[in-house]
Amino acid sequence: MTETTGYSGGGFVHVKNPHLDSMEEDILYHLDLGTKTHNLPAMFGDIKFVCVGGSPNRMRAFAQFMQRELGLAGAGEELPDICAGSDRYAMYRAGPVLSISHGMGIPSISIMLHELIKLLHHAKCRDVTIIRIGTSGGLGIEAGSVVITDTAVDSSFQPRFEQVVLGDVVVRSTELDKDLAEELLACSREIADFPTLIGHTMCTYDFYEGQGRLDGALCSFSSEKKLEYLRRAYDAGVRNIEMESTAFAALCGLCGLKAAVVCVALLDRLQGDQIRASHEVLWEYQQRPQRLIAAFIRQRLGLG
Ligand code: R2B
Ligand code: URA
């Protein structure tokens, strides 16, 4: 069974679940928010940009950075974690920007996205752009390069996300917004003190064997087989590897959200498996997608 991409009538988030309408209350359990306990339209109705990334600390730092970049009052002060009542995810806002952590891997980001998308729906948000800013392993590209994903592919290099629903495999498209990717690339040219490119992103269910690493607790293949697989991925257009993009693209696409994935490469997987760069270098690499997205948001808001 294949599902097609959603549309968003009037720019609203398009939740595809007929059961939601008949629910008296919707508890967004992992976000510690709900339709009866919180006034979601008042709290979130003016959100226009949602940025998601794996680590809670990084997403707090991003919100603080956006606070400064947008010249908002209170810049430099601590930001409250909107999801403080749950220790699963962290959420911060800076003006029209919402910054949320999603943890590692597809199951973790899926849970967050179901609740985030319902949150945007309940809050009656319109014309929301959602961007995953993350880290990845590069493929044939210099460490520190930023990859803007045109298509998220699975570990067979196919643009699909398979979700098991009631025991059946449902196949979902992983197409992302091409115009948004081009807009981001154009934006990168203005701040480019680091290489930025558009390419396919391969999404896996594991960091070690699933990404062809030789350094996990288990490994059943040779170095030659690993390189043969990674070169096949490169020839299929893959330029980086991470663990959330297919689920992110599928869920956001079906719900009519314009979505992009922007990840920095921490290493070139054709050169090795271990991440050896110093904390300082890695910290600076992780700033790169944030700086690009800040420039993009500033430009969209007419501040650029
Ligand atoms: C990138 O980095 C994490 C693994 O280290 C994972 O969440 C991802 O997609
Ligand atoms: N994240 C990944 O998923 N893979 C890498 O190699 C680096 C970061």
Side-chain angles (χ1 to χ4, degrees), residues 135-137 207 211 213 241-243 266-267 269 275:
T135 58
S136 62
F207 182 83
Q211 294 186 7
R213 277 188 158 80
I241 308 172
E242 46 77 92
M243 299 177 58
L266 303 182
L267 75 170
R269 289 299 316 291
I275 299 171

